[in-house]
Amino acid sequence: MKQITSFMSEISDEFKVIIVDAIRSLCLKFPTKHASMLGFLSGVLRDEGGYDFKRAVVEAIFDMIKFIGESKEQALSHLCEFIEDCEFTKLSVRILHLLGIEGPKSPQPSKYIRFIYNRVVLENATVRAAAVASLAKFGIIDDTKLKKSIGVLLNRLDIRSWALWFLLTILVKLSRRHRRRGSRSSGVVSQGD
């Protein structure tokens, strides 16, 4: 990995993408080596590069999270560090979405809140909306202390952000209710056949 890292700065983004895809494939093939490969990927995220290169690295890390459970916490932490300095709105939004899904399920969900809240305060409107949506997902888990913390953070925001947060919370609850009703009614239909 050290040899690859040393010449990454000397090649074009096209070749960097090829290398990242190869690293991703190797990691999925040899999951016990995920720590060193994740370290490599997080290192190249900090290097200079265009959107396609950064997207390839983020996608590789997403695959590690999805297919190698032991890498999830470390990978999410690397992605949190990346969004602190990310210049690509689409990547920030995708990462915030993933944090909203995986963060509340983690053993320590509160460790991601600061990174997400910083995006609410410091970013453009698109990233702010994604960050508020992600925070809302943390706010609906069954953790009273965390809900209170989310409420305090969202209370610092302007009224439009609050309205969005409430709207998202309501939509999530309605979606769950609708799914429950749908599963009940589908059970009734199948019993009648």
Side-chain angles (χ1 to χ4, degrees):
M1 298 308 284
K2 291 177 185 175
Q3 292 172 336
I4 295 172
T5 304
S6 65
F7 78 88
M8 283 293 279
S9 62
E10 300 170 16
I11 60 175
S12 71
D13 278 5
E14 296 173 56
F15 293 117
K16 288 178 184 178
V17 169
I18 293 169
I19 290 171
V20 168
D21 286 341
I23 297 291
R24 182 190 64 75
S25 295
L26 281 171
C27 194
L28 296 177
K29 193 170 258 188
F30 303 103
T32 58
K33 303 290 185 186
H34 76 272
S36 63
M37 293 185 205
L38 186 56
F40 168 79
L41 292 172
S42 71
V44 297
L45 263 181
R46 290 188 288 271
D47 294 345
E48 292 295 317
Y51 174 76
D52 289 332
F53 168 59
K54 299 291 183 167
R55 183 183 49 81
V57 176
V58 168
E59 290 296 328
I61 293 173
F62 277 20
D63 282 350
M64 291 177 74
I65 291 169
K66 184 176 181 180
F67 297 112
I68 307 169
E70 309 88 64
S71 70
K72 186 185 296 187
E73 293 296 313
Q74 186 181 9
L76 289 175
S77 294
H78 288 306
L79 291 173
C80 283
E81 290 173 25
F82 175 63
I83 61 171
E84 289 285 301
D85 230 3
C86 182
E87 60 191 273
F88 303 108
T89 298
K90 282 184 177 181
L91 291 179
S92 292
V93 168
R94 293 215 43 230
I95 292 168
L96 287 164
H97 177 71
L98 180 73
L99 287 170
I101 292 170
E102 297 295 337
K105 295 187 260 180
S106 73
Q108 293 179 307
S110 60
K111 74 181 188 179
Y112 304 111
I113 302 298
R114 176 179 59 90
F115 294 101
I116 297 168
Y117 184 74
N118 283 347
R119 305 294 49 90
V120 174
V121 176
L122 301 171
E123 294 289 344
N124 63 49
T126 304
V127 176
R128 274 196 313 268
V132 170
S134 184
L135 280 175
K137 291 175 185 173
F138 281 82
I140 59 174
I141 63 174
D142 290 332
D143 182 339
T144 307
K145 186 177 178 184
L146 189 60
K147 280 183 186 180
K148 194 177 239 181
S149 297
I150 298 294
V152 168
L153 291 174
L154 291 173
N155 195 27
R156 296 178 184 169
L157 304 176
D158 65 31
I159 192 70
R160 290 171 298 182
S161 297
W162 259 108
L164 176 61
W165 181 75
F166 281 121
L167 177 62
L168 288 170
T169 303
I170 291 166
L171 289 174
V172 166
K173 287 182 180 180
L174 287 174
S175 171
R176 286 182 181 161
R177 204 174 292 151
H178 178 72
R179 274 187 263 154
R180 277 189 234 132
R181 285 183 185 155
S183 65
R184 284 186 205 144
S185 64
S186 66
V188 171
V189 171
S190 64
Q191 290 174 352
D193 287 336

PDB file of all heavy atoms in Angstrom, residues 71-104:
ATOM      1  N   SER A  71     -15.851  -2.972   9.296  1.00  0.00           N
ATOM      2  CA  SER A  71     -15.244  -1.712   8.850  1.00  0.00           C
ATOM      3  C   SER A  71     -16.161  -0.510   9.041  1.00  0.00           C
ATOM      4  O   SER A  71     -15.735   0.626   8.864  1.00  0.00           O
ATOM      5  CB  SER A  71     -14.867  -1.816   7.372  1.00  0.00           C
ATOM      6  OG  SER A  71     -16.020  -1.836   6.559  1.00  0.00           O
ATOM      7  N   LYS A  72     -17.422  -0.761   9.411  1.00  0.00           N
ATOM      8  CA  LYS A  72     -18.428   0.303   9.399  1.00  0.00           C
ATOM      9  C   LYS A  72     -18.057   1.520  10.250  1.00  0.00           C
ATOM     10  O   LYS A  72     -18.080   2.655   9.766  1.00  0.00           O
ATOM     11  CB  LYS A  72     -19.784  -0.230   9.847  1.00  0.00           C
ATOM     12  CG  LYS A  72     -20.888   0.806   9.717  1.00  0.00           C
ATOM     13  CD  LYS A  72     -22.209   0.349  10.272  1.00  0.00           C
ATOM     14  CE  LYS A  72     -22.742  -0.810   9.498  1.00  0.00           C
ATOM     15  NZ  LYS A  72     -24.118  -1.171   9.909  1.00  0.00           N
ATOM     16  N   GLU A  73     -17.708   1.314  11.509  1.00  0.00           N
ATOM     17  CA  GLU A  73     -17.436   2.447  12.405  1.00  0.00           C
ATOM     18  C   GLU A  73     -16.260   3.288  11.907  1.00  0.00           C
ATOM     19  O   GLU A  73     -16.332   4.516  11.849  1.00  0.00           O
ATOM     20  CB  GLU A  73     -17.157   1.952  13.818  1.00  0.00           C
ATOM     21  CG  GLU A  73     -18.354   1.334  14.497  1.00  0.00           C
ATOM     22  CD  GLU A  73     -19.487   2.315  14.725  1.00  0.00           C
ATOM     23  OE1 GLU A  73     -19.239   3.426  15.212  1.00  0.00           O
ATOM     24  OE2 GLU A  73     -20.632   1.957  14.398  1.00  0.00           O
ATOM     25  N   GLN A  74     -15.181   2.607  11.554  1.00  0.00           N
ATOM     26  CA  GLN A  74     -13.996   3.315  11.076  1.00  0.00           C
ATOM     27  C   GLN A  74     -14.297   4.028   9.753  1.00  0.00           C
ATOM     28  O   GLN A  74     -13.896   5.182   9.555  1.00  0.00           O
ATOM     29  CB  GLN A  74     -12.836   2.336  10.907  1.00  0.00           C
ATOM     30  CG  GLN A  74     -11.537   2.997  10.550  1.00  0.00           C
ATOM     31  CD  GLN A  74     -10.403   1.986  10.352  1.00  0.00           C
ATOM     32  OE1 GLN A  74     -10.629   0.778  10.325  1.00  0.00           O
ATOM     33  NE2 GLN A  74      -9.197   2.487  10.200  1.00  0.00           N
ATOM     34  N   ALA A  75     -15.012   3.364   8.860  1.00  0.00           N
ATOM     35  CA  ALA A  75     -15.341   3.963   7.568  1.00  0.00           C
ATOM     36  C   ALA A  75     -16.239   5.190   7.742  1.00  0.00           C
ATOM     37  O   ALA A  75     -16.014   6.223   7.091  1.00  0.00           O
ATOM     38  CB  ALA A  75     -16.013   2.923   6.672  1.00  0.00           C
ATOM     39  N   LEU A  76     -17.233   5.096   8.605  1.00  0.00           N
ATOM     40  CA  LEU A  76     -18.105   6.250   8.848  1.00  0.00           C
ATOM     41  C   LEU A  76     -17.307   7.428   9.420  1.00  0.00           C
ATOM     42  O   LEU A  76     -17.539   8.583   9.057  1.00  0.00           O
ATOM     43  CB  LEU A  76     -19.252   5.877   9.787  1.00  0.00           C
ATOM     44  CG  LEU A  76     -20.331   4.965   9.209  1.00  0.00           C
ATOM     45  CD1 LEU A  76     -21.336   4.570  10.284  1.00  0.00           C
ATOM     46  CD2 LEU A  76     -21.040   5.609   8.033  1.00  0.00           C
ATOM     47  N   SER A  77     -16.357   7.131  10.282  1.00  0.00           N
ATOM     48  CA  SER A  77     -15.512   8.197  10.840  1.00  0.00           C
ATOM     49  C   SER A  77     -14.688   8.876   9.755  1.00  0.00           C
ATOM     50  O   SER A  77     -14.549  10.104   9.739  1.00  0.00           O
ATOM     51  CB  SER A  77     -14.594   7.633  11.926  1.00  0.00           C
ATOM     52  OG  SER A  77     -15.350   7.202  13.021  1.00  0.00           O
ATOM     53  N   HIS A  78     -14.140   8.089   8.834  1.00  0.00           N
ATOM     54  CA  HIS A  78     -13.365   8.671   7.725  1.00  0.00           C
ATOM     55  C   HIS A  78     -14.258   9.531   6.834  1.00  0.00           C
ATOM     56  O   HIS A  78     -13.843  10.615   6.384  1.00  0.00           O
ATOM     57  CB  HIS A  78     -12.701   7.581   6.898  1.00  0.00           C
ATOM     58  CG  HIS A  78     -11.555   6.908   7.586  1.00  0.00           C
ATOM     59  ND1 HIS A  78     -10.479   7.596   8.125  1.00  0.00           N
ATOM     60  CD2 HIS A  78     -11.305   5.602   7.824  1.00  0.00           C
ATOM     61  CE1 HIS A  78      -9.628   6.746   8.655  1.00  0.00           C
ATOM     62  NE2 HIS A  78     -10.107   5.517   8.497  1.00  0.00           N
ATOM     63  N   LEU A  79     -15.474   9.077   6.594  1.00  0.00           N
ATOM     64  CA  LEU A  79     -16.396   9.865   5.781  1.00  0.00           C
ATOM     65  C   LEU A  79     -16.786  11.158   6.486  1.00  0.00           C
ATOM     66  O   LEU A  79     -16.928  12.205   5.842  1.00  0.00           O
ATOM     67  CB  LEU A  79     -17.638   9.042   5.422  1.00  0.00           C
ATOM     68  CG  LEU A  79     -17.400   7.884   4.452  1.00  0.00           C
ATOM     69  CD1 LEU A  79     -18.659   7.037   4.314  1.00  0.00           C
ATOM     70  CD2 LEU A  79     -16.931   8.386   3.098  1.00  0.00           C
ATOM     71  N   CYS A  80     -16.931  11.106   7.808  1.00  0.00           N
ATOM     72  CA  CYS A  80     -17.220  12.323   8.578  1.00  0.00           C
ATOM     73  C   CYS A  80     -16.093  13.341   8.433  1.00  0.00           C
ATOM     74  O   CYS A  80     -16.345  14.535   8.255  1.00  0.00           O
ATOM     75  CB  CYS A  80     -17.421  11.989  10.050  1.00  0.00           C
ATOM     76  SG  CYS A  80     -19.021  11.265  10.425  1.00  0.00           S
ATOM     77  N   GLU A  81     -14.873  12.862   8.495  1.00  0.00           N
ATOM     78  CA  GLU A  81     -13.729  13.760   8.324  1.00  0.00           C
ATOM     79  C   GLU A  81     -13.711  14.345   6.921  1.00  0.00           C
ATOM     80  O   GLU A  81     -13.409  15.526   6.729  1.00  0.00           O
ATOM     81  CB  GLU A  81     -12.429  13.010   8.597  1.00  0.00           C
ATOM     82  CG  GLU A  81     -12.236  12.651  10.055  1.00  0.00           C
ATOM     83  CD  GLU A  81     -11.021  11.762  10.278  1.00  0.00           C
ATOM     84  OE1 GLU A  81     -10.087  11.797   9.452  1.00  0.00           O
ATOM     85  OE2 GLU A  81     -11.020  11.033  11.282  1.00  0.00           O
ATOM     86  N   PHE A  82     -14.053  13.534   5.935  1.00  0.00           N
ATOM     87  CA  PHE A  82     -14.049  14.001   4.552  1.00  0.00           C
ATOM     88  C   PHE A  82     -15.063  15.112   4.322  1.00  0.00           C
ATOM     89  O   PHE A  82     -14.772  16.094   3.642  1.00  0.00           O
ATOM     90  CB  PHE A  82     -14.287  12.835   3.595  1.00  0.00           C
ATOM     91  CG  PHE A  82     -14.422  13.244   2.159  1.00  0.00           C
ATOM     92  CD1 PHE A  82     -13.366  13.843   1.481  1.00  0.00           C
ATOM     93  CD2 PHE A  82     -15.613  13.039   1.476  1.00  0.00           C
ATOM     94  CE1 PHE A  82     -13.491  14.220   0.148  1.00  0.00           C
ATOM     95  CE2 PHE A  82     -15.745  13.414   0.149  1.00  0.00           C
ATOM     96  CZ  PHE A  82     -14.685  14.003  -0.516  1.00  0.00           C
ATOM     97  N   ILE A  83     -16.274  14.973   4.868  1.00  0.00           N
ATOM     98  CA  ILE A  83     -17.283  16.007   4.609  1.00  0.00           C
ATOM     99  C   ILE A  83     -16.941  17.333   5.282  1.00  0.00           C
ATOM    100  O   ILE A  83     -17.490  18.362   4.906  1.00  0.00           O
ATOM    101  CB  ILE A  83     -18.718  15.565   4.969  1.00  0.00           C
ATOM    102  CG1 ILE A  83     -18.868  15.238   6.443  1.00  0.00           C
ATOM    103  CG2 ILE A  83     -19.175  14.434   4.084  1.00  0.00           C
ATOM    104  CD1 ILE A  83     -20.305  15.003   6.872  1.00  0.00           C
ATOM    105  N   GLU A  84     -16.032  17.315   6.228  1.00  0.00           N
ATOM    106  CA  GLU A  84     -15.599  18.574   6.845  1.00  0.00           C
ATOM    107  C   GLU A  84     -14.934  19.488   5.810  1.00  0.00           C
ATOM    108  O   GLU A  84     -14.943  20.695   5.970  1.00  0.00           O
ATOM    109  CB  GLU A  84     -14.616  18.292   7.983  1.00  0.00           C
ATOM    110  CG  GLU A  84     -15.234  17.666   9.213  1.00  0.00           C
ATOM    111  CD  GLU A  84     -16.042  18.653  10.031  1.00  0.00           C
ATOM    112  OE1 GLU A  84     -15.483  19.670  10.482  1.00  0.00           O
ATOM    113  OE2 GLU A  84     -17.248  18.405  10.217  1.00  0.00           O
ATOM    114  N   ASP A  85     -14.362  18.892   4.781  1.00  0.00           N
ATOM    115  CA  ASP A  85     -13.610  19.659   3.789  1.00  0.00           C
ATOM    116  C   ASP A  85     -14.024  19.352   2.356  1.00  0.00           C
ATOM    117  O   ASP A  85     -13.289  19.648   1.434  1.00  0.00           O
ATOM    118  CB  ASP A  85     -12.123  19.325   3.951  1.00  0.00           C
ATOM    119  CG  ASP A  85     -11.265  20.551   4.033  1.00  0.00           C
ATOM    120  OD1 ASP A  85     -11.818  21.652   4.026  1.00  0.00           O
ATOM    121  OD2 ASP A  85     -10.034  20.397   4.093  1.00  0.00           O
ATOM    122  N   CYS A  86     -15.157  18.749   2.162  1.00  0.00           N
ATOM    123  CA  CYS A  86     -15.579  18.288   0.843  1.00  0.00           C
ATOM    124  C   CYS A  86     -16.073  19.455  -0.007  1.00  0.00           C
ATOM    125  O   CYS A  86     -16.908  20.243   0.419  1.00  0.00           O
ATOM    126  CB  CYS A  86     -16.689  17.242   0.978  1.00  0.00           C
ATOM    127  SG  CYS A  86     -17.235  16.562  -0.598  1.00  0.00           S
ATOM    128  N   GLU A  87     -15.556  19.521  -1.212  1.00  0.00           N
ATOM    129  CA  GLU A  87     -15.953  20.600  -2.117  1.00  0.00           C
ATOM    130  C   GLU A  87     -17.045  20.183  -3.097  1.00  0.00           C
ATOM    131  O   GLU A  87     -17.484  20.979  -3.917  1.00  0.00           O
ATOM    132  CB  GLU A  87     -14.730  21.099  -2.892  1.00  0.00           C
ATOM    133  CG  GLU A  87     -14.070  20.020  -3.734  1.00  0.00           C
ATOM    134  CD  GLU A  87     -12.714  20.432  -4.281  1.00  0.00           C
ATOM    135  OE1 GLU A  87     -12.701  21.045  -5.367  1.00  0.00           O
ATOM    136  OE2 GLU A  87     -11.715  20.134  -3.627  1.00  0.00           O
ATOM    137  N   PHE A  88     -17.504  18.951  -3.003  1.00  0.00           N
ATOM    138  CA  PHE A  88     -18.497  18.428  -3.938  1.00  0.00           C
ATOM    139  C   PHE A  88     -19.828  18.190  -3.229  1.00  0.00           C
ATOM    140  O   PHE A  88     -19.957  17.304  -2.388  1.00  0.00           O
ATOM    141  CB  PHE A  88     -17.990  17.125  -4.566  1.00  0.00           C
ATOM    142  CG  PHE A  88     -16.667  17.281  -5.257  1.00  0.00           C
ATOM    143  CD1 PHE A  88     -15.515  16.743  -4.701  1.00  0.00           C
ATOM    144  CD2 PHE A  88     -16.568  17.978  -6.453  1.00  0.00           C
ATOM    145  CE1 PHE A  88     -14.291  16.891  -5.329  1.00  0.00           C
ATOM    146  CE2 PHE A  88     -15.346  18.128  -7.091  1.00  0.00           C
ATOM    147  CZ  PHE A  88     -14.195  17.590  -6.521  1.00  0.00           C
ATOM    148  N   THR A  89     -20.820  18.983  -3.593  1.00  0.00           N
ATOM    149  CA  THR A  89     -22.131  18.929  -2.954  1.00  0.00           C
ATOM    150  C   THR A  89     -22.753  17.539  -3.044  1.00  0.00           C
ATOM    151  O   THR A  89     -23.276  17.020  -2.053  1.00  0.00           O
ATOM    152  CB  THR A  89     -23.061  19.984  -3.585  1.00  0.00           C
ATOM    153  OG1 THR A  89     -22.498  21.275  -3.346  1.00  0.00           O
ATOM    154  CG2 THR A  89     -24.456  19.927  -3.007  1.00  0.00           C
ATOM    155  N   LYS A  90     -22.697  16.922  -4.220  1.00  0.00           N
ATOM    156  CA  LYS A  90     -23.320  15.603  -4.389  1.00  0.00           C
ATOM    157  C   LYS A  90     -22.722  14.572  -3.432  1.00  0.00           C
ATOM    158  O   LYS A  90     -23.445  13.754  -2.873  1.00  0.00           O
ATOM    159  CB  LYS A  90     -23.148  15.103  -5.825  1.00  0.00           C
ATOM    160  CG  LYS A  90     -24.085  15.718  -6.811  1.00  0.00           C
ATOM    161  CD  LYS A  90     -23.893  15.080  -8.176  1.00  0.00           C
ATOM    162  CE  LYS A  90     -24.868  15.625  -9.182  1.00  0.00           C
ATOM    163  NZ  LYS A  90     -24.697  15.004 -10.500  1.00  0.00           N
ATOM    164  N   LEU A  91     -21.417  14.613  -3.272  1.00  0.00           N
ATOM    165  CA  LEU A  91     -20.774  13.647  -2.369  1.00  0.00           C
ATOM    166  C   LEU A  91     -21.158  13.924  -0.923  1.00  0.00           C
ATOM    167  O   LEU A  91     -21.429  12.994  -0.162  1.00  0.00           O
ATOM    168  CB  LEU A  91     -19.254  13.680  -2.535  1.00  0.00           C
ATOM    169  CG  LEU A  91     -18.715  13.136  -3.853  1.00  0.00           C
ATOM    170  CD1 LEU A  91     -17.199  13.250  -3.899  1.00  0.00           C
ATOM    171  CD2 LEU A  91     -19.152  11.705  -4.077  1.00  0.00           C
ATOM    172  N   SER A  92     -21.191  15.183  -0.553  1.00  0.00           N
ATOM    173  CA  SER A  92     -21.593  15.528   0.812  1.00  0.00           C
ATOM    174  C   SER A  92     -23.007  15.044   1.106  1.00  0.00           C
ATOM    175  O   SER A  92     -23.270  14.474   2.166  1.00  0.00           O
ATOM    176  CB  SER A  92     -21.517  17.044   1.033  1.00  0.00           C
ATOM    177  OG  SER A  92     -20.188  17.479   1.018  1.00  0.00           O
ATOM    178  N   VAL A  93     -23.914  15.249   0.167  1.00  0.00           N
ATOM    179  CA  VAL A  93     -25.303  14.833   0.352  1.00  0.00           C
ATOM    180  C   VAL A  93     -25.395  13.312   0.479  1.00  0.00           C
ATOM    181  O   VAL A  93     -26.099  12.797   1.352  1.00  0.00           O
ATOM    182  CB  VAL A  93     -26.188  15.354  -0.806  1.00  0.00           C
ATOM    183  CG1 VAL A  93     -27.562  14.704  -0.816  1.00  0.00           C
ATOM    184  CG2 VAL A  93     -26.307  16.871  -0.730  1.00  0.00           C
ATOM    185  N   ARG A  94     -24.679  12.590  -0.365  1.00  0.00           N
ATOM    186  CA  ARG A  94     -24.713  11.114  -0.295  1.00  0.00           C
ATOM    187  C   ARG A  94     -24.167  10.617   1.038  1.00  0.00           C
ATOM    188  O   ARG A  94     -24.698   9.691   1.639  1.00  0.00           O
ATOM    189  CB  ARG A  94     -23.900  10.504  -1.445  1.00  0.00           C
ATOM    190  CG  ARG A  94     -24.549  10.790  -2.778  1.00  0.00           C
ATOM    191  CD  ARG A  94     -24.454   9.742  -3.834  1.00  0.00           C
ATOM    192  NE  ARG A  94     -24.676   8.402  -3.387  1.00  0.00           N
ATOM    193  CZ  ARG A  94     -23.847   7.383  -3.676  1.00  0.00           C
ATOM    194  NH1 ARG A  94     -22.776   7.590  -4.393  1.00  0.00           N
ATOM    195  NH2 ARG A  94     -24.125   6.170  -3.267  1.00  0.00           N
ATOM    196  N   ILE A  95     -23.078  11.232   1.493  1.00  0.00           N
ATOM    197  CA  ILE A  95     -22.480  10.816   2.767  1.00  0.00           C
ATOM    198  C   ILE A  95     -23.419  11.141   3.918  1.00  0.00           C
ATOM    199  O   ILE A  95     -23.608  10.328   4.823  1.00  0.00           O
ATOM    200  CB  ILE A  95     -21.091  11.460   2.952  1.00  0.00           C
ATOM    201  CG1 ILE A  95     -20.115  10.874   1.927  1.00  0.00           C
ATOM    202  CG2 ILE A  95     -20.578  11.260   4.375  1.00  0.00           C
ATOM    203  CD1 ILE A  95     -18.798  11.622   1.804  1.00  0.00           C
ATOM    204  N   LEU A  96     -24.023  12.321   3.897  1.00  0.00           N
ATOM    205  CA  LEU A  96     -24.972  12.682   4.951  1.00  0.00           C
ATOM    206  C   LEU A  96     -26.167  11.726   4.966  1.00  0.00           C
ATOM    207  O   LEU A  96     -26.643  11.344   6.034  1.00  0.00           O
ATOM    208  CB  LEU A  96     -25.440  14.127   4.778  1.00  0.00           C
ATOM    209  CG  LEU A  96     -24.390  15.173   5.142  1.00  0.00           C
ATOM    210  CD1 LEU A  96     -24.776  16.538   4.576  1.00  0.00           C
ATOM    211  CD2 LEU A  96     -24.186  15.231   6.637  1.00  0.00           C
ATOM    212  N   HIS A  97     -26.623  11.335   3.794  1.00  0.00           N
ATOM    213  CA  HIS A  97     -27.720  10.371   3.718  1.00  0.00           C
ATOM    214  C   HIS A  97     -27.299   9.047   4.366  1.00  0.00           C
ATOM    215  O   HIS A  97     -28.051   8.470   5.163  1.00  0.00           O
ATOM    216  CB  HIS A  97     -28.135  10.152   2.262  1.00  0.00           C
ATOM    217  CG  HIS A  97     -29.202   9.131   2.087  1.00  0.00           C
ATOM    218  ND1 HIS A  97     -30.514   9.338   2.462  1.00  0.00           N
ATOM    219  CD2 HIS A  97     -29.152   7.880   1.597  1.00  0.00           C
ATOM    220  CE1 HIS A  97     -31.213   8.261   2.214  1.00  0.00           C
ATOM    221  NE2 HIS A  97     -30.413   7.349   1.682  1.00  0.00           N
ATOM    222  N   LEU A  98     -26.114   8.581   4.038  1.00  0.00           N
ATOM    223  CA  LEU A  98     -25.618   7.331   4.627  1.00  0.00           C
ATOM    224  C   LEU A  98     -25.464   7.466   6.141  1.00  0.00           C
ATOM    225  O   LEU A  98     -25.822   6.554   6.887  1.00  0.00           O
ATOM    226  CB  LEU A  98     -24.281   6.929   4.000  1.00  0.00           C
ATOM    227  CG  LEU A  98     -23.677   5.645   4.558  1.00  0.00           C
ATOM    228  CD1 LEU A  98     -24.452   4.431   4.069  1.00  0.00           C
ATOM    229  CD2 LEU A  98     -22.216   5.524   4.179  1.00  0.00           C
ATOM    230  N   LEU A  99     -24.959   8.607   6.597  1.00  0.00           N
ATOM    231  CA  LEU A  99     -24.828   8.828   8.042  1.00  0.00           C
ATOM    232  C   LEU A  99     -26.190   8.807   8.722  1.00  0.00           C
ATOM    233  O   LEU A  99     -26.324   8.316   9.844  1.00  0.00           O
ATOM    234  CB  LEU A  99     -24.117  10.155   8.325  1.00  0.00           C
ATOM    235  CG  LEU A  99     -22.625  10.180   8.058  1.00  0.00           C
ATOM    236  CD1 LEU A  99     -22.086  11.612   8.135  1.00  0.00           C
ATOM    237  CD2 LEU A  99     -21.879   9.271   9.016  1.00  0.00           C
ATOM    238  N   GLY A 100     -27.206   9.331   8.051  1.00  0.00           N
ATOM    239  CA  GLY A 100     -28.557   9.301   8.602  1.00  0.00           C
ATOM    240  C   GLY A 100     -29.122   7.901   8.703  1.00  0.00           C
ATOM    241  O   GLY A 100     -29.935   7.607   9.575  1.00  0.00           O
ATOM    242  N   ILE A 101     -28.668   7.017   7.831  1.00  0.00           N
ATOM    243  CA  ILE A 101     -29.137   5.626   7.864  1.00  0.00           C
ATOM    244  C   ILE A 101     -28.327   4.796   8.860  1.00  0.00           C
ATOM    245  O   ILE A 101     -28.884   4.097   9.698  1.00  0.00           O
ATOM    246  CB  ILE A 101     -29.044   4.994   6.455  1.00  0.00           C
ATOM    247  CG1 ILE A 101     -30.055   5.650   5.518  1.00  0.00           C
ATOM    248  CG2 ILE A 101     -29.271   3.477   6.518  1.00  0.00           C
ATOM    249  CD1 ILE A 101     -29.877   5.280   4.064  1.00  0.00           C
ATOM    250  N   GLU A 102     -27.012   4.865   8.750  1.00  0.00           N
ATOM    251  CA  GLU A 102     -26.139   3.993   9.547  1.00  0.00           C
ATOM    252  C   GLU A 102     -25.814   4.557  10.927  1.00  0.00           C
ATOM    253  O   GLU A 102     -25.627   3.799  11.869  1.00  0.00           O
ATOM    254  CB  GLU A 102     -24.831   3.718   8.788  1.00  0.00           C
ATOM    255  CG  GLU A 102     -25.023   2.976   7.486  1.00  0.00           C
ATOM    256  CD  GLU A 102     -25.567   1.576   7.651  1.00  0.00           C
ATOM    257  OE1 GLU A 102     -25.418   0.970   8.737  1.00  0.00           O
ATOM    258  OE2 GLU A 102     -26.156   1.058   6.685  1.00  0.00           O
ATOM    259  N   GLY A 103     -25.735   5.869  11.038  1.00  0.00           N
ATOM    260  CA  GLY A 103     -25.360   6.490  12.312  1.00  0.00           C
ATOM    261  C   GLY A 103     -26.258   6.143  13.478  1.00  0.00           C
ATOM    262  O   GLY A 103     -25.778   5.744  14.537  1.00  0.00           O
ATOM    263  N   PRO A 104     -27.586   6.259  13.323  1.00  0.00           N
ATOM    264  CA  PRO A 104     -28.478   5.923  14.444  1.00  0.00           C
ATOM    265  C   PRO A 104     -28.384   4.465  14.887  1.00  0.00           C
ATOM    266  O   PRO A 104     -28.695   4.141  16.022  1.00  0.00           O
ATOM    267  CB  PRO A 104     -29.880   6.234  13.891  1.00  0.00           C
ATOM    268  CG  PRO A 104     -29.653   7.262  12.842  1.00  0.00           C
ATOM    269  CD  PRO A 104     -28.325   6.889  12.220  1.00  0.00           C
TER     270      PRO A 104
END
